[in-house]
Amino acid sequence: MDNRDEVRDFLRSRRARITPEQAGLPAYGTHRRVPGLRREEVAMLAGVSSDYYVRLERGNLAGVSESVLESLATVLRLDEVERAHLRDLARGARPRAARARRSVPAARTVPLSVRVMLDALTQAPAVVRDERLDILAANALGRALYAPLFADPSRRANHARFAFLDPAATRFWADWERAADDTVGVLRFAAGRDPFDKALTALVGELSTRSEEFRSRWAAHHVHVHTGGRKRIHHPVVGDVELMYDSMTIAAAPGLTLLVYTAEPGSPTADALRVLASWAATADASGEAVVPGGPAAATHP
């Protein structure tokens, strides 16, 4: 088991998007047999032999130096996330024993201190997710915000399954296309970091089998890391909200990410969060699951 196919397709896709003009090369003639740069052009610009670059693009990154990776990243105009992904792919190409000495197992359990912190956050939705986009923990407002993801109590809430397998997702995400792109990008980045994660491989296989939208995005080799920004959601209980969010890694639990969502003070979204908190409290007090359209939702039309 190796990551040669992933390396090959990633380098080819990045080479194909760079034109000779962008790379500062003369474009002789109007007909080129390949989109973007040729292999020998990438090799020349990166300062390596054509034979060596062909070997790299065939998926063999074993033993490649940091300086060559940096040169390739510059020639292919990789952004910071793509550069990190390329380094992960190179790490994954090492012999397994070498990888094991450097790797840190991803956490699957949320530390008690983080769970206590979640419960202490009463005015902002907050969730903890892993690299597979499973939601491992959430405060009451976080569960209320993402109530559609928790609609099936028999299965752990997962952003990717919801985005591509649940028809409600296209209504929930105001910009579903961007949400879908980012979701696949996060999974692709995680796969590069740990190509031997069997659960992640199974998730990608399931989504690829069941969703053409997922398959087409997976083939594009887009990578993404959530750091912060804004999300627009059409919530089934409180309607349209625009939330700011910040993403924080959890030092005590590698691979886990804490996301906290906030609203601008005095905004309609801030009012909506207060209504959502009241709805969630009513559902909790009545013992009902926090599911839109349930008995508790009727108390907050």
Side-chain angles (χ1 to χ4, degrees), residues 243-267:
L243 295 160
M244 302 176 288
Y245 76 94
D246 289 281
S247 171
M248 292 154 274
T249 58
I250 300 174
L256 300 191
T257 301
L258 170 66
L259 295 109
V260 180
Y261 301 85
T262 53
E264 292 185 9
S267 66

PDB file of all heavy atoms in Angstrom, residues 243-267:
ATOM      1  N   LEU A 243     -22.337  33.648  10.509  1.00  0.00           N
ATOM      2  CA  LEU A 243     -21.505  33.479  11.692  1.00  0.00           C
ATOM      3  C   LEU A 243     -20.033  33.661  11.366  1.00  0.00           C
ATOM      4  O   LEU A 243     -19.552  33.246  10.310  1.00  0.00           O
ATOM      5  CB  LEU A 243     -21.705  32.072  12.277  1.00  0.00           C
ATOM      6  CG  LEU A 243     -23.098  31.773  12.830  1.00  0.00           C
ATOM      7  CD1 LEU A 243     -23.320  30.270  12.903  1.00  0.00           C
ATOM      8  CD2 LEU A 243     -23.262  32.393  14.213  1.00  0.00           C
ATOM      9  N   MET A 244     -19.314  34.282  12.288  1.00  0.00           N
ATOM     10  CA  MET A 244     -17.861  34.250  12.249  1.00  0.00           C
ATOM     11  C   MET A 244     -17.418  32.959  12.932  1.00  0.00           C
ATOM     12  O   MET A 244     -18.097  32.467  13.832  1.00  0.00           O
ATOM     13  CB  MET A 244     -17.280  35.455  12.995  1.00  0.00           C
ATOM     14  CG  MET A 244     -17.738  36.795  12.458  1.00  0.00           C
ATOM     15  SD  MET A 244     -17.111  38.203  13.432  1.00  0.00           S
ATOM     16  CE  MET A 244     -18.092  38.038  14.943  1.00  0.00           C
ATOM     17  N   TYR A 245     -16.302  32.406  12.476  1.00  0.00           N
ATOM     18  CA  TYR A 245     -15.798  31.215  13.167  1.00  0.00           C
ATOM     19  C   TYR A 245     -14.280  31.253  13.230  1.00  0.00           C
ATOM     20  O   TYR A 245     -13.607  31.830  12.377  1.00  0.00           O
ATOM     21  CB  TYR A 245     -16.285  29.920  12.504  1.00  0.00           C
ATOM     22  CG  TYR A 245     -15.574  29.566  11.216  1.00  0.00           C
ATOM     23  CD1 TYR A 245     -14.476  28.707  11.206  1.00  0.00           C
ATOM     24  CD2 TYR A 245     -16.003  30.085   9.996  1.00  0.00           C
ATOM     25  CE1 TYR A 245     -13.829  28.375  10.028  1.00  0.00           C
ATOM     26  CE2 TYR A 245     -15.363  29.763   8.811  1.00  0.00           C
ATOM     27  CZ  TYR A 245     -14.275  28.898   8.835  1.00  0.00           C
ATOM     28  OH  TYR A 245     -13.623  28.578   7.667  1.00  0.00           O
ATOM     29  N   ASP A 246     -13.773  30.635  14.278  1.00  0.00           N
ATOM     30  CA  ASP A 246     -12.333  30.483  14.456  1.00  0.00           C
ATOM     31  C   ASP A 246     -12.036  29.025  14.734  1.00  0.00           C
ATOM     32  O   ASP A 246     -12.784  28.338  15.442  1.00  0.00           O
ATOM     33  CB  ASP A 246     -11.832  31.351  15.610  1.00  0.00           C
ATOM     34  CG  ASP A 246     -11.861  32.831  15.261  1.00  0.00           C
ATOM     35  OD1 ASP A 246     -10.941  33.283  14.556  1.00  0.00           O
ATOM     36  OD2 ASP A 246     -12.812  33.523  15.676  1.00  0.00           O
ATOM     37  N   SER A 247     -10.937  28.562  14.163  1.00  0.00           N
ATOM     38  CA  SER A 247     -10.528  27.165  14.272  1.00  0.00           C
ATOM     39  C   SER A 247      -9.244  27.083  15.082  1.00  0.00           C
ATOM     40  O   SER A 247      -8.288  27.819  14.821  1.00  0.00           O
ATOM     41  CB  SER A 247     -10.318  26.581  12.869  1.00  0.00           C
ATOM     42  OG  SER A 247      -9.744  25.311  12.930  1.00  0.00           O
ATOM     43  N   MET A 248      -9.226  26.188  16.054  1.00  0.00           N
ATOM     44  CA  MET A 248      -8.064  26.046  16.932  1.00  0.00           C
ATOM     45  C   MET A 248      -7.690  24.583  17.074  1.00  0.00           C
ATOM     46  O   MET A 248      -8.558  23.740  17.328  1.00  0.00           O
ATOM     47  CB  MET A 248      -8.362  26.639  18.321  1.00  0.00           C
ATOM     48  CG  MET A 248      -8.524  28.154  18.315  1.00  0.00           C
ATOM     49  SD  MET A 248      -9.562  28.762  19.676  1.00  0.00           S
ATOM     50  CE  MET A 248     -11.201  28.605  18.933  1.00  0.00           C
ATOM     51  N   THR A 249      -6.406  24.273  16.881  1.00  0.00           N
ATOM     52  CA  THR A 249      -5.953  22.911  17.115  1.00  0.00           C
ATOM     53  C   THR A 249      -5.868  22.663  18.614  1.00  0.00           C
ATOM     54  O   THR A 249      -5.663  23.593  19.406  1.00  0.00           O
ATOM     55  CB  THR A 249      -4.577  22.664  16.484  1.00  0.00           C
ATOM     56  OG1 THR A 249      -3.629  23.608  17.016  1.00  0.00           O
ATOM     57  CG2 THR A 249      -4.641  22.834  14.974  1.00  0.00           C
ATOM     58  N   ILE A 250      -6.033  21.421  19.003  1.00  0.00           N
ATOM     59  CA  ILE A 250      -5.990  21.043  20.415  1.00  0.00           C
ATOM     60  C   ILE A 250      -4.659  20.357  20.674  1.00  0.00           C
ATOM     61  O   ILE A 250      -4.417  19.238  20.198  1.00  0.00           O
ATOM     62  CB  ILE A 250      -7.170  20.117  20.763  1.00  0.00           C
ATOM     63  CG1 ILE A 250      -8.495  20.842  20.488  1.00  0.00           C
ATOM     64  CG2 ILE A 250      -7.092  19.664  22.224  1.00  0.00           C
ATOM     65  CD1 ILE A 250      -9.714  19.971  20.663  1.00  0.00           C
ATOM     66  N   ALA A 251      -3.769  21.040  21.395  1.00  0.00           N
ATOM     67  CA  ALA A 251      -2.404  20.548  21.577  1.00  0.00           C
ATOM     68  C   ALA A 251      -2.371  19.169  22.226  1.00  0.00           C
ATOM     69  O   ALA A 251      -1.534  18.331  21.883  1.00  0.00           O
ATOM     70  CB  ALA A 251      -1.609  21.553  22.415  1.00  0.00           C
ATOM     71  N   ALA A 252      -3.282  18.919  23.149  1.00  0.00           N
ATOM     72  CA  ALA A 252      -3.280  17.640  23.869  1.00  0.00           C
ATOM     73  C   ALA A 252      -3.916  16.516  23.068  1.00  0.00           C
ATOM     74  O   ALA A 252      -3.891  15.360  23.511  1.00  0.00           O
ATOM     75  CB  ALA A 252      -4.010  17.794  25.200  1.00  0.00           C
ATOM     76  N   ALA A 253      -4.479  16.844  21.919  1.00  0.00           N
ATOM     77  CA  ALA A 253      -5.173  15.825  21.120  1.00  0.00           C
ATOM     78  C   ALA A 253      -4.880  16.057  19.641  1.00  0.00           C
ATOM     79  O   ALA A 253      -5.668  16.702  18.942  1.00  0.00           O
ATOM     80  CB  ALA A 253      -6.672  15.866  21.387  1.00  0.00           C
ATOM     81  N   PRO A 254      -3.746  15.570  19.136  1.00  0.00           N
ATOM     82  CA  PRO A 254      -3.386  15.782  17.737  1.00  0.00           C
ATOM     83  C   PRO A 254      -4.484  15.292  16.799  1.00  0.00           C
ATOM     84  O   PRO A 254      -5.055  14.224  16.986  1.00  0.00           O
ATOM     85  CB  PRO A 254      -2.115  14.935  17.571  1.00  0.00           C
ATOM     86  CG  PRO A 254      -1.547  14.818  18.954  1.00  0.00           C
ATOM     87  CD  PRO A 254      -2.734  14.775  19.873  1.00  0.00           C
ATOM     88  N   GLY A 255      -4.756  16.104  15.776  1.00  0.00           N
ATOM     89  CA  GLY A 255      -5.767  15.728  14.804  1.00  0.00           C
ATOM     90  C   GLY A 255      -7.152  16.257  15.111  1.00  0.00           C
ATOM     91  O   GLY A 255      -8.032  16.207  14.253  1.00  0.00           O
ATOM     92  N   LEU A 256      -7.358  16.775  16.316  1.00  0.00           N
ATOM     93  CA  LEU A 256      -8.660  17.317  16.676  1.00  0.00           C
ATOM     94  C   LEU A 256      -8.651  18.837  16.556  1.00  0.00           C
ATOM     95  O   LEU A 256      -7.637  19.487  16.837  1.00  0.00           O
ATOM     96  CB  LEU A 256      -9.056  16.917  18.096  1.00  0.00           C
ATOM     97  CG  LEU A 256      -9.168  15.430  18.389  1.00  0.00           C
ATOM     98  CD1 LEU A 256      -9.829  15.208  19.750  1.00  0.00           C
ATOM     99  CD2 LEU A 256      -9.929  14.693  17.306  1.00  0.00           C
ATOM    100  N   THR A 257      -9.784  19.378  16.169  1.00  0.00           N
ATOM    101  CA  THR A 257      -9.921  20.814  15.953  1.00  0.00           C
ATOM    102  C   THR A 257     -11.145  21.334  16.692  1.00  0.00           C
ATOM    103  O   THR A 257     -12.218  20.724  16.619  1.00  0.00           O
ATOM    104  CB  THR A 257     -10.070  21.134  14.448  1.00  0.00           C
ATOM    105  OG1 THR A 257      -8.917  20.656  13.756  1.00  0.00           O
ATOM    106  CG2 THR A 257     -10.219  22.621  14.216  1.00  0.00           C
ATOM    107  N   LEU A 258     -10.979  22.445  17.394  1.00  0.00           N
ATOM    108  CA  LEU A 258     -12.086  23.129  18.064  1.00  0.00           C
ATOM    109  C   LEU A 258     -12.525  24.286  17.186  1.00  0.00           C
ATOM    110  O   LEU A 258     -11.711  25.114  16.784  1.00  0.00           O
ATOM    111  CB  LEU A 258     -11.638  23.648  19.433  1.00  0.00           C
ATOM    112  CG  LEU A 258     -12.610  24.584  20.161  1.00  0.00           C
ATOM    113  CD1 LEU A 258     -13.888  23.849  20.556  1.00  0.00           C
ATOM    114  CD2 LEU A 258     -11.943  25.208  21.391  1.00  0.00           C
ATOM    115  N   LEU A 259     -13.820  24.329  16.874  1.00  0.00           N
ATOM    116  CA  LEU A 259     -14.386  25.427  16.096  1.00  0.00           C
ATOM    117  C   LEU A 259     -15.415  26.145  16.942  1.00  0.00           C
ATOM    118  O   LEU A 259     -16.322  25.516  17.509  1.00  0.00           O
ATOM    119  CB  LEU A 259     -15.030  24.924  14.811  1.00  0.00           C
ATOM    120  CG  LEU A 259     -14.057  24.311  13.806  1.00  0.00           C
ATOM    121  CD1 LEU A 259     -14.266  22.806  13.737  1.00  0.00           C
ATOM    122  CD2 LEU A 259     -14.238  24.917  12.423  1.00  0.00           C
ATOM    123  N   VAL A 260     -15.256  27.467  17.056  1.00  0.00           N
ATOM    124  CA  VAL A 260     -16.164  28.298  17.842  1.00  0.00           C
ATOM    125  C   VAL A 260     -16.803  29.327  16.912  1.00  0.00           C
ATOM    126  O   VAL A 260     -16.105  30.004  16.144  1.00  0.00           O
ATOM    127  CB  VAL A 260     -15.420  29.006  18.993  1.00  0.00           C
ATOM    128  CG1 VAL A 260     -16.390  29.865  19.796  1.00  0.00           C
ATOM    129  CG2 VAL A 260     -14.736  27.980  19.897  1.00  0.00           C
ATOM    130  N   TYR A 261     -18.128  29.447  16.992  1.00  0.00           N
ATOM    131  CA  TYR A 261     -18.881  30.321  16.106  1.00  0.00           C
ATOM    132  C   TYR A 261     -19.453  31.493  16.913  1.00  0.00           C
ATOM    133  O   TYR A 261     -20.023  31.301  17.992  1.00  0.00           O
ATOM    134  CB  TYR A 261     -20.027  29.553  15.445  1.00  0.00           C
ATOM    135  CG  TYR A 261     -19.553  28.367  14.637  1.00  0.00           C
ATOM    136  CD1 TYR A 261     -19.326  27.140  15.246  1.00  0.00           C
ATOM    137  CD2 TYR A 261     -19.316  28.480  13.275  1.00  0.00           C
ATOM    138  CE1 TYR A 261     -18.881  26.048  14.516  1.00  0.00           C
ATOM    139  CE2 TYR A 261     -18.878  27.398  12.530  1.00  0.00           C
ATOM    140  CZ  TYR A 261     -18.656  26.182  13.164  1.00  0.00           C
ATOM    141  OH  TYR A 261     -18.202  25.107  12.431  1.00  0.00           O
ATOM    142  N   THR A 262     -19.313  32.683  16.378  1.00  0.00           N
ATOM    143  CA  THR A 262     -19.794  33.880  17.068  1.00  0.00           C
ATOM    144  C   THR A 262     -20.543  34.780  16.089  1.00  0.00           C
ATOM    145  O   THR A 262     -20.404  34.649  14.874  1.00  0.00           O
ATOM    146  CB  THR A 262     -18.626  34.665  17.693  1.00  0.00           C
ATOM    147  OG1 THR A 262     -17.631  34.921  16.686  1.00  0.00           O
ATOM    148  CG2 THR A 262     -17.994  33.886  18.844  1.00  0.00           C
ATOM    149  N   ALA A 263     -21.319  35.690  16.649  1.00  0.00           N
ATOM    150  CA  ALA A 263     -22.082  36.641  15.837  1.00  0.00           C
ATOM    151  C   ALA A 263     -21.666  38.055  16.198  1.00  0.00           C
ATOM    152  O   ALA A 263     -21.271  38.337  17.340  1.00  0.00           O
ATOM    153  CB  ALA A 263     -23.576  36.457  16.083  1.00  0.00           C
ATOM    154  N   GLU A 264     -21.765  38.963  15.239  1.00  0.00           N
ATOM    155  CA  GLU A 264     -21.472  40.361  15.525  1.00  0.00           C
ATOM    156  C   GLU A 264     -22.509  40.888  16.519  1.00  0.00           C
ATOM    157  O   GLU A 264     -23.714  40.678  16.345  1.00  0.00           O
ATOM    158  CB  GLU A 264     -21.512  41.180  14.243  1.00  0.00           C
ATOM    159  CG  GLU A 264     -20.393  40.843  13.270  1.00  0.00           C
ATOM    160  CD  GLU A 264     -20.390  41.749  12.064  1.00  0.00           C
ATOM    161  OE1 GLU A 264     -21.148  42.747  12.069  1.00  0.00           O
ATOM    162  OE2 GLU A 264     -19.645  41.473  11.110  1.00  0.00           O
ATOM    163  N   PRO A 265     -22.048  41.579  17.568  1.00  0.00           N
ATOM    164  CA  PRO A 265     -22.991  42.096  18.574  1.00  0.00           C
ATOM    165  C   PRO A 265     -24.061  42.979  17.940  1.00  0.00           C
ATOM    166  O   PRO A 265     -23.780  43.806  17.077  1.00  0.00           O
ATOM    167  CB  PRO A 265     -22.079  42.904  19.514  1.00  0.00           C
ATOM    168  CG  PRO A 265     -20.723  42.292  19.346  1.00  0.00           C
ATOM    169  CD  PRO A 265     -20.651  41.871  17.910  1.00  0.00           C
ATOM    170  N   GLY A 266     -25.297  42.775  18.362  1.00  0.00           N
ATOM    171  CA  GLY A 266     -26.404  43.581  17.873  1.00  0.00           C
ATOM    172  C   GLY A 266     -26.926  43.197  16.513  1.00  0.00           C
ATOM    173  O   GLY A 266     -27.844  43.841  15.990  1.00  0.00           O
ATOM    174  N   SER A 267     -26.369  42.146  15.918  1.00  0.00           N
ATOM    175  CA  SER A 267     -26.783  41.738  14.581  1.00  0.00           C
ATOM    176  C   SER A 267     -27.995  40.808  14.657  1.00  0.00           C
ATOM    177  O   SER A 267     -28.297  40.232  15.706  1.00  0.00           O
ATOM    178  CB  SER A 267     -25.640  41.008  13.884  1.00  0.00           C
ATOM    179  OG  SER A 267     -25.366  39.776  14.551  1.00  0.00           O
TER     180      SER A 267
END
